[in-house]
Amino acid sequence: MINAILNGLLTLLSQYVTVAFTPIDLIITNLIPDLSNVLVIVSDFFDILADYGNFVLSYTGLTQSTIGIIVALIFYNIYLPLAVHGIKLALRWYRMLMP
Amino acid sequence: MYNVKKYLFLIPILFIFFCPRNVFARINRIRTFNSDYSTTWVDLSVPEGATYATFTGATNSTAFIRLNMTDNFEPNKTYSASFGFCIYVLDKDFQIEFGNLIGGWNVGGGYVSGTPVESTLVDYSHTTNASGRSQYMRCYTQRWQFTTPGTTTYPFFQIGLNTRYQTLNKFSWWNWTIEKVDSDMSDVTNSITNNTNQIIINNNNNTQQIINSQQETTDAINDLNDSLTDSSTDDNLASRFINLFSHNDHALASIVTAPLNFLNSLDDPCQPITIPFKLGGGNNCGGLPVCVNSTFSKDATIQCGDTLFWNKSEVSVFRVFWNVLFGGAIIYMLGFKLFKTINRALDPFVDDINGLEV
C-alpha cells in the first residue's frame, strides 16, 4: 500500500508536469516555431550530456555503487520535498473541503 | 389541457364496458351437414354482430350444425363455454342430440368430444309461420367444459340434430362466452417457475459477485500485509521516478526534465565513445597536377576510465581509498543536504518546494 501511495504520488507529479507544460509547448510550437527549434536543440544538448555523463564519471574513479548512492541521495533531495509538499497540500485541501 | 386531464379516468371505465370480452367466441360460419347420406357440408357465413342465421335450400334433414369460431383454441388448455341457442325447424318436431363433437379438429384429425356439463331447455314453442307450415323451436342454455388437443387449429362447436324429415329453418344464439379455465393458473404457474428460475440465477450471480468481492478484499488485505511486512528497499523507486518525467514529447518539458534525465543516466554503465576519422578525398584530387591518392578512414574509440585505469589491479586499493575520500565527501554533502531537507520538510510552517533547486 505504501508503494502504491508513492507510485500514485509520482504519477500525479509527472502528470502535473505534463499537463502544465503541454499547452505552453503547443503555443510555442505553433506560434513561435523558431523558438521551438531552439528549445529542441537545447534539449538535444542535454541528451548528449546525458549520453556522455557516465563516460566522464568513469574517469573520476567512482564505482557504480558509489555513483548509485550519490544518485539516490540527489533523488531523495528532490523527491522528499515534493512528497511532503504534496501531502501537506492534500491535507490543506481536505481541511478546506471539510464542513 | 387541464380540463381534458380531468376526464382521463374515464378511459379505463370505458374500456371495461366496451372491452370485447366475447370476441373469441364469435361465430363466423355455420356449416350444416345434409344427412341425406351425403358428405357435402353447406356453409353459411355469419356476419359480425349477427345473432341468428336462417337456412334455405337443401338443408332438409340436417343432422349436424357446426359452428366455427373466429379464433383458434390454444392447445392443451381447458375451456369453459357457456351459451344459449335456439333451433327452429319446420314441419315436424325434432330431437336434439348433444355430445357429438365440441372443441376442434387438430392436425392429426383428433377432436374433443363430450357432453355439456349443464343443459337446460329454456324455451319451447310450436307455431305456424306465414306460409302455414309448422315451426318448432327449442332453446337451450348450456355450459361445456373441455380440454383441447395438443395441436388444435380448427375451433368449432358442433351440435347434433335429429332432424330427419324436418327442415332446419333458423338458428339463433346469445351470450357466447368461452374462457380458459386453467389458463390463468398455468400462466401463473409458469410465471412462478420462470420467476423462481430467474431468482435462482440472480442469487447465483449475486453469490458469485459476493465471492469475487470477498476474494478482492482478501487479495487487497494480503497485499497490504505484504506491503507492511516488506522490509526490503525499493531500489527501482528512483529510476521509476525519473523515468516518469523522461518524456520528450515537447521541447520545453524536455528542458525542464533534462536534469532528471541526466541524473538518471549517471548510474548507467559506461560506454566507450567512438569517433569516426576520415582523412583524404579518395580519387577526387580536385584537378591538381600532383595528386596523392590516399584515404584514411578509421573509427577512433576512446575507452572508459575504468577500462583504461581504474579496473587495473594495481590501483584497486587506491580506488577504494579514493572512493572513500572523494565519494564519501560527496555523499556526506548530499546527506547533510538531505538532513536539512528533512528538517525543512518536517517544519509545519513551511510549504514551499525547494527540492527543484537541485
Side-chain angles (χ1 to χ4, degrees), chain B residues 135-149:
Chain B
Q135 179 175 268
Y136 297 87
M137 180 193 72
R138 290 179 183 269
C139 298
Y140 292 86
T141 58
Q142 292 184 343
R143 187 172 72 86
W144 296 73
Q145 185 160 323
F146 59 96
T147 301
T148 57

mmCIF file with all atom_site columns, all heavy atoms in Angstrom, chain B residues 135-149:
data_model
loop_
_atom_site.group_PDB
_atom_site.id
_atom_site.type_symbol
_atom_site.label_atom_id
_atom_site.label_alt_id
_atom_site.label_comp_id
_atom_site.label_asym_id
_atom_site.label_entity_id
_atom_site.label_seq_id
_atom_site.pdbx_PDB_ins_code
_atom_site.Cartn_x
_atom_site.Cartn_y
_atom_site.Cartn_z
_atom_site.occupancy
_atom_site.B_iso_or_equiv
_atom_site.pdbx_formal_charge
_atom_site.auth_seq_id
_atom_site.auth_comp_id
_atom_site.auth_asym_id
_atom_site.auth_atom_id
_atom_site.pdbx_PDB_model_num
ATOM 1   N N   . GLN B 1 135 ? -93.772 -24.613 -37.294 1.00 0.00 ? 135 GLN B N   1
ATOM 2   C CA  . GLN B 1 135 ? -92.406 -24.253 -36.913 1.00 0.00 ? 135 GLN B CA  1
ATOM 3   C C   . GLN B 1 135 ? -92.197 -24.605 -35.449 1.00 0.00 ? 135 GLN B C   1
ATOM 4   O O   . GLN B 1 135 ? -92.918 -24.146 -34.581 1.00 0.00 ? 135 GLN B O   1
ATOM 5   C CB  . GLN B 1 135 ? -92.152 -22.761 -37.150 1.00 0.00 ? 135 GLN B CB  1
ATOM 6   C CG  . GLN B 1 135 ? -90.752 -22.338 -36.735 1.00 0.00 ? 135 GLN B CG  1
ATOM 7   C CD  . GLN B 1 135 ? -90.479 -20.895 -37.078 1.00 0.00 ? 135 GLN B CD  1
ATOM 8   O OE1 . GLN B 1 135 ? -89.966 -20.562 -38.146 1.00 0.00 ? 135 GLN B OE1 1
ATOM 9   N NE2 . GLN B 1 135 ? -90.893 -20.022 -36.165 1.00 0.00 ? 135 GLN B NE2 1
ATOM 10  N N   . TYR B 1 136 ? -91.190 -25.404 -35.228 1.00 0.00 ? 136 TYR B N   1
ATOM 11  C CA  . TYR B 1 136 ? -90.879 -25.825 -33.867 1.00 0.00 ? 136 TYR B CA  1
ATOM 12  C C   . TYR B 1 136 ? -89.596 -25.129 -33.412 1.00 0.00 ? 136 TYR B C   1
ATOM 13  O O   . TYR B 1 136 ? -88.637 -25.008 -34.174 1.00 0.00 ? 136 TYR B O   1
ATOM 14  C CB  . TYR B 1 136 ? -90.705 -27.343 -33.795 1.00 0.00 ? 136 TYR B CB  1
ATOM 15  C CG  . TYR B 1 136 ? -91.971 -28.099 -34.161 1.00 0.00 ? 136 TYR B CG  1
ATOM 16  C CD1 . TYR B 1 136 ? -92.274 -28.426 -35.485 1.00 0.00 ? 136 TYR B CD1 1
ATOM 17  C CD2 . TYR B 1 136 ? -92.855 -28.484 -33.150 1.00 0.00 ? 136 TYR B CD2 1
ATOM 18  C CE1 . TYR B 1 136 ? -93.424 -29.104 -35.809 1.00 0.00 ? 136 TYR B CE1 1
ATOM 19  C CE2 . TYR B 1 136 ? -94.017 -29.180 -33.480 1.00 0.00 ? 136 TYR B CE2 1
ATOM 20  C CZ  . TYR B 1 136 ? -94.294 -29.484 -34.808 1.00 0.00 ? 136 TYR B CZ  1
ATOM 21  O OH  . TYR B 1 136 ? -95.433 -30.155 -35.123 1.00 0.00 ? 136 TYR B OH  1
ATOM 22  N N   . MET B 1 137 ? -89.616 -24.721 -32.197 1.00 0.00 ? 137 MET B N   1
ATOM 23  C CA  . MET B 1 137 ? -88.451 -24.021 -31.647 1.00 0.00 ? 137 MET B CA  1
ATOM 24  C C   . MET B 1 137 ? -88.043 -24.665 -30.321 1.00 0.00 ? 137 MET B C   1
ATOM 25  O O   . MET B 1 137 ? -88.889 -24.967 -29.495 1.00 0.00 ? 137 MET B O   1
ATOM 26  C CB  . MET B 1 137 ? -88.758 -22.554 -31.394 1.00 0.00 ? 137 MET B CB  1
ATOM 27  C CG  . MET B 1 137 ? -87.593 -21.763 -30.824 1.00 0.00 ? 137 MET B CG  1
ATOM 28  S SD  . MET B 1 137 ? -88.092 -20.138 -30.195 1.00 0.00 ? 137 MET B SD  1
ATOM 29  C CE  . MET B 1 137 ? -88.993 -20.613 -28.713 1.00 0.00 ? 137 MET B CE  1
ATOM 30  N N   . ARG B 1 138 ? -86.752 -24.862 -30.192 1.00 0.00 ? 138 ARG B N   1
ATOM 31  C CA  . ARG B 1 138 ? -86.198 -25.320 -28.908 1.00 0.00 ? 138 ARG B CA  1
ATOM 32  C C   . ARG B 1 138 ? -85.004 -24.436 -28.556 1.00 0.00 ? 138 ARG B C   1
ATOM 33  O O   . ARG B 1 138 ? -84.125 -24.243 -29.386 1.00 0.00 ? 138 ARG B O   1
ATOM 34  C CB  . ARG B 1 138 ? -85.767 -26.785 -28.974 1.00 0.00 ? 138 ARG B CB  1
ATOM 35  C CG  . ARG B 1 138 ? -86.927 -27.765 -29.078 1.00 0.00 ? 138 ARG B CG  1
ATOM 36  C CD  . ARG B 1 138 ? -86.416 -29.198 -29.157 1.00 0.00 ? 138 ARG B CD  1
ATOM 37  N NE  . ARG B 1 138 ? -87.519 -30.138 -29.325 1.00 0.00 ? 138 ARG B NE  1
ATOM 38  C CZ  . ARG B 1 138 ? -88.154 -30.716 -28.283 1.00 0.00 ? 138 ARG B CZ  1
ATOM 39  N NH1 . ARG B 1 138 ? -87.800 -30.433 -27.048 1.00 0.00 ? 138 ARG B NH1 1
ATOM 40  N NH2 . ARG B 1 138 ? -89.154 -31.572 -28.503 1.00 0.00 ? 138 ARG B NH2 1
ATOM 41  N N   . CYS B 1 139 ? -85.051 -23.933 -27.347 1.00 0.00 ? 139 CYS B N   1
ATOM 42  C CA  . CYS B 1 139 ? -83.964 -23.056 -26.889 1.00 0.00 ? 139 CYS B CA  1
ATOM 43  C C   . CYS B 1 139 ? -83.317 -23.663 -25.640 1.00 0.00 ? 139 CYS B C   1
ATOM 44  O O   . CYS B 1 139 ? -84.006 -24.118 -24.728 1.00 0.00 ? 139 CYS B O   1
ATOM 45  C CB  . CYS B 1 139 ? -84.495 -21.662 -26.549 1.00 0.00 ? 139 CYS B CB  1
ATOM 46  S SG  . CYS B 1 139 ? -85.208 -20.811 -27.966 1.00 0.00 ? 139 CYS B SG  1
ATOM 47  N N   . TYR B 1 140 ? -82.008 -23.633 -25.673 1.00 0.00 ? 140 TYR B N   1
ATOM 48  C CA  . TYR B 1 140 ? -81.250 -24.222 -24.569 1.00 0.00 ? 140 TYR B CA  1
ATOM 49  C C   . TYR B 1 140 ? -80.200 -23.227 -24.076 1.00 0.00 ? 140 TYR B C   1
ATOM 50  O O   . TYR B 1 140 ? -79.697 -22.392 -24.836 1.00 0.00 ? 140 TYR B O   1
ATOM 51  C CB  . TYR B 1 140 ? -80.515 -25.494 -25.018 1.00 0.00 ? 140 TYR B CB  1
ATOM 52  C CG  . TYR B 1 140 ? -81.441 -26.640 -25.355 1.00 0.00 ? 140 TYR B CG  1
ATOM 53  C CD1 . TYR B 1 140 ? -81.998 -26.768 -26.634 1.00 0.00 ? 140 TYR B CD1 1
ATOM 54  C CD2 . TYR B 1 140 ? -81.737 -27.613 -24.402 1.00 0.00 ? 140 TYR B CD2 1
ATOM 55  C CE1 . TYR B 1 140 ? -82.828 -27.816 -26.956 1.00 0.00 ? 140 TYR B CE1 1
ATOM 56  C CE2 . TYR B 1 140 ? -82.578 -28.668 -24.729 1.00 0.00 ? 140 TYR B CE2 1
ATOM 57  C CZ  . TYR B 1 140 ? -83.113 -28.769 -25.998 1.00 0.00 ? 140 TYR B CZ  1
ATOM 58  O OH  . TYR B 1 140 ? -83.939 -29.815 -26.313 1.00 0.00 ? 140 TYR B OH  1
ATOM 59  N N   . THR B 1 141 ? -79.867 -23.354 -22.853 1.00 0.00 ? 141 THR B N   1
ATOM 60  C CA  . THR B 1 141 ? -78.638 -22.759 -22.308 1.00 0.00 ? 141 THR B CA  1
ATOM 61  C C   . THR B 1 141 ? -77.757 -23.911 -21.864 1.00 0.00 ? 141 THR B C   1
ATOM 62  O O   . THR B 1 141 ? -78.201 -24.821 -21.164 1.00 0.00 ? 141 THR B O   1
ATOM 63  C CB  . THR B 1 141 ? -78.926 -21.825 -21.130 1.00 0.00 ? 141 THR B CB  1
ATOM 64  O OG1 . THR B 1 141 ? -79.608 -22.546 -20.119 1.00 0.00 ? 141 THR B OG1 1
ATOM 65  C CG2 . THR B 1 141 ? -79.759 -20.633 -21.590 1.00 0.00 ? 141 THR B CG2 1
ATOM 66  N N   . GLN B 1 142 ? -76.510 -23.825 -22.281 1.00 0.00 ? 142 GLN B N   1
ATOM 67  C CA  . GLN B 1 142 ? -75.597 -24.939 -21.991 1.00 0.00 ? 142 GLN B CA  1
ATOM 68  C C   . GLN B 1 142 ? -74.247 -24.414 -21.496 1.00 0.00 ? 142 GLN B C   1
ATOM 69  O O   . GLN B 1 142 ? -73.849 -23.275 -21.780 1.00 0.00 ? 142 GLN B O   1
ATOM 70  C CB  . GLN B 1 142 ? -75.372 -25.789 -23.246 1.00 0.00 ? 142 GLN B CB  1
ATOM 71  C CG  . GLN B 1 142 ? -76.603 -26.543 -23.688 1.00 0.00 ? 142 GLN B CG  1
ATOM 72  C CD  . GLN B 1 142 ? -76.323 -27.440 -24.867 1.00 0.00 ? 142 GLN B CD  1
ATOM 73  O OE1 . GLN B 1 142 ? -75.320 -27.286 -25.549 1.00 0.00 ? 142 GLN B OE1 1
ATOM 74  N NE2 . GLN B 1 142 ? -77.227 -28.384 -25.120 1.00 0.00 ? 142 GLN B NE2 1
ATOM 75  N N   . ARG B 1 143 ? -73.594 -25.263 -20.810 1.00 0.00 ? 143 ARG B N   1
ATOM 76  C CA  . ARG B 1 143 ? -72.200 -24.988 -20.427 1.00 0.00 ? 143 ARG B CA  1
ATOM 77  C C   . ARG B 1 143 ? -71.377 -26.228 -20.703 1.00 0.00 ? 143 ARG B C   1
ATOM 78  O O   . ARG B 1 143 ? -71.737 -27.332 -20.280 1.00 0.00 ? 143 ARG B O   1
ATOM 79  C CB  . ARG B 1 143 ? -72.099 -24.596 -18.951 1.00 0.00 ? 143 ARG B CB  1
ATOM 80  C CG  . ARG B 1 143 ? -70.692 -24.128 -18.556 1.00 0.00 ? 143 ARG B CG  1
ATOM 81  C CD  . ARG B 1 143 ? -70.680 -23.562 -17.151 1.00 0.00 ? 143 ARG B CD  1
ATOM 82  N NE  . ARG B 1 143 ? -70.829 -24.616 -16.146 1.00 0.00 ? 143 ARG B NE  1
ATOM 83  C CZ  . ARG B 1 143 ? -69.811 -25.323 -15.651 1.00 0.00 ? 143 ARG B CZ  1
ATOM 84  N NH1 . ARG B 1 143 ? -68.585 -25.099 -16.107 1.00 0.00 ? 143 ARG B NH1 1
ATOM 85  N NH2 . ARG B 1 143 ? -70.019 -26.260 -14.745 1.00 0.00 ? 143 ARG B NH2 1
ATOM 86  N N   . TRP B 1 144 ? -70.328 -26.023 -21.425 1.00 0.00 ? 144 TRP B N   1
ATOM 87  C CA  . TRP B 1 144 ? -69.417 -27.095 -21.790 1.00 0.00 ? 144 TRP B CA  1
ATOM 88  C C   . TRP B 1 144 ? -68.063 -26.855 -21.135 1.00 0.00 ? 144 TRP B C   1
ATOM 89  O O   . TRP B 1 144 ? -67.656 -25.726 -20.907 1.00 0.00 ? 144 TRP B O   1
ATOM 90  C CB  . TRP B 1 144 ? -69.204 -27.165 -23.301 1.00 0.00 ? 144 TRP B CB  1
ATOM 91  C CG  . TRP B 1 144 ? -70.447 -27.508 -24.076 1.00 0.00 ? 144 TRP B CG  1
ATOM 92  C CD1 . TRP B 1 144 ? -71.510 -26.722 -24.310 1.00 0.00 ? 144 TRP B CD1 1
ATOM 93  C CD2 . TRP B 1 144 ? -70.712 -28.758 -24.708 1.00 0.00 ? 144 TRP B CD2 1
ATOM 94  N NE1 . TRP B 1 144 ? -72.454 -27.358 -25.050 1.00 0.00 ? 144 TRP B NE1 1
ATOM 95  C CE2 . TRP B 1 144 ? -71.989 -28.635 -25.321 1.00 0.00 ? 144 TRP B CE2 1
ATOM 96  C CE3 . TRP B 1 144 ? -70.041 -29.966 -24.838 1.00 0.00 ? 144 TRP B CE3 1
ATOM 97  C CZ2 . TRP B 1 144 ? -72.586 -29.663 -26.045 1.00 0.00 ? 144 TRP B CZ2 1
ATOM 98  C CZ3 . TRP B 1 144 ? -70.629 -30.977 -25.561 1.00 0.00 ? 144 TRP B CZ3 1
ATOM 99  C CH2 . TRP B 1 144 ? -71.877 -30.848 -26.139 1.00 0.00 ? 144 TRP B CH2 1
ATOM 100 N N   . GLN B 1 145 ? -67.410 -27.917 -20.890 1.00 0.00 ? 145 GLN B N   1
ATOM 101 C CA  . GLN B 1 145 ? -66.030 -27.803 -20.404 1.00 0.00 ? 145 GLN B CA  1
ATOM 102 C C   . GLN B 1 145 ? -65.216 -28.886 -21.086 1.00 0.00 ? 145 GLN B C   1
ATOM 103 O O   . GLN B 1 145 ? -65.581 -30.068 -21.050 1.00 0.00 ? 145 GLN B O   1
ATOM 104 C CB  . GLN B 1 145 ? -65.962 -27.938 -18.872 1.00 0.00 ? 145 GLN B CB  1
ATOM 105 C CG  . GLN B 1 145 ? -64.557 -27.700 -18.325 1.00 0.00 ? 145 GLN B CG  1
ATOM 106 C CD  . GLN B 1 145 ? -64.595 -27.359 -16.835 1.00 0.00 ? 145 GLN B CD  1
ATOM 107 O OE1 . GLN B 1 145 ? -65.503 -26.677 -16.363 1.00 0.00 ? 145 GLN B OE1 1
ATOM 108 N NE2 . GLN B 1 145 ? -63.607 -27.834 -16.100 1.00 0.00 ? 145 GLN B NE2 1
ATOM 109 N N   . PHE B 1 146 ? -64.110 -28.482 -21.677 1.00 0.00 ? 146 PHE B N   1
ATOM 110 C CA  . PHE B 1 146 ? -63.329 -29.437 -22.465 1.00 0.00 ? 146 PHE B CA  1
ATOM 111 C C   . PHE B 1 146 ? -61.870 -29.003 -22.478 1.00 0.00 ? 146 PHE B C   1
ATOM 112 O O   . PHE B 1 146 ? -61.537 -27.843 -22.224 1.00 0.00 ? 146 PHE B O   1
ATOM 113 C CB  . PHE B 1 146 ? -63.862 -29.512 -23.903 1.00 0.00 ? 146 PHE B CB  1
ATOM 114 C CG  . PHE B 1 146 ? -63.819 -28.190 -24.618 1.00 0.00 ? 146 PHE B CG  1
ATOM 115 C CD1 . PHE B 1 146 ? -62.767 -27.866 -25.451 1.00 0.00 ? 146 PHE B CD1 1
ATOM 116 C CD2 . PHE B 1 146 ? -64.844 -27.257 -24.443 1.00 0.00 ? 146 PHE B CD2 1
ATOM 117 C CE1 . PHE B 1 146 ? -62.732 -26.658 -26.114 1.00 0.00 ? 146 PHE B CE1 1
ATOM 118 C CE2 . PHE B 1 146 ? -64.811 -26.045 -25.096 1.00 0.00 ? 146 PHE B CE2 1
ATOM 119 C CZ  . PHE B 1 146 ? -63.766 -25.734 -25.936 1.00 0.00 ? 146 PHE B CZ  1
ATOM 120 N N   . THR B 1 147 ? -61.042 -29.947 -22.773 1.00 0.00 ? 147 THR B N   1
ATOM 121 C CA  . THR B 1 147 ? -59.603 -29.698 -22.900 1.00 0.00 ? 147 THR B CA  1
ATOM 122 C C   . THR B 1 147 ? -59.195 -29.940 -24.335 1.00 0.00 ? 147 THR B C   1
ATOM 123 O O   . THR B 1 147 ? -59.499 -30.983 -24.916 1.00 0.00 ? 147 THR B O   1
ATOM 124 C CB  . THR B 1 147 ? -58.795 -30.610 -21.973 1.00 0.00 ? 147 THR B CB  1
ATOM 125 O OG1 . THR B 1 147 ? -59.209 -30.364 -20.626 1.00 0.00 ? 147 THR B OG1 1
ATOM 126 C CG2 . THR B 1 147 ? -57.306 -30.326 -22.099 1.00 0.00 ? 147 THR B CG2 1
ATOM 127 N N   . THR B 1 148 ? -58.542 -28.975 -24.901 1.00 0.00 ? 148 THR B N   1
ATOM 128 C CA  . THR B 1 148 ? -58.175 -29.071 -26.311 1.00 0.00 ? 148 THR B CA  1
ATOM 129 C C   . THR B 1 148 ? -57.010 -30.037 -26.503 1.00 0.00 ? 148 THR B C   1
ATOM 130 O O   . THR B 1 148 ? -56.209 -30.265 -25.597 1.00 0.00 ? 148 THR B O   1
ATOM 131 C CB  . THR B 1 148 ? -57.769 -27.689 -26.844 1.00 0.00 ? 148 THR B CB  1
ATOM 132 O OG1 . THR B 1 148 ? -56.695 -27.197 -26.053 1.00 0.00 ? 148 THR B OG1 1
ATOM 133 C CG2 . THR B 1 148 ? -58.929 -26.729 -26.777 1.00 0.00 ? 148 THR B CG2 1
ATOM 134 N N   . PRO B 1 149 ? -56.911 -30.603 -27.706 1.00 0.00 ? 149 PRO B N   1
ATOM 135 C CA  . PRO B 1 149 ? -55.764 -31.457 -28.015 1.00 0.00 ? 149 PRO B CA  1
ATOM 136 C C   . PRO B 1 149 ? -54.478 -30.639 -28.084 1.00 0.00 ? 149 PRO B C   1
ATOM 137 O O   . PRO B 1 149 ? -54.476 -29.417 -27.927 1.00 0.00 ? 149 PRO B O   1
ATOM 138 C CB  . PRO B 1 149 ? -56.113 -32.061 -29.377 1.00 0.00 ? 149 PRO B CB  1
ATOM 139 C CG  . PRO B 1 149 ? -57.567 -31.837 -29.538 1.00 0.00 ? 149 PRO B CG  1
ATOM 140 C CD  . PRO B 1 149 ? -57.904 -30.618 -28.763 1.00 0.00 ? 149 PRO B CD  1
#
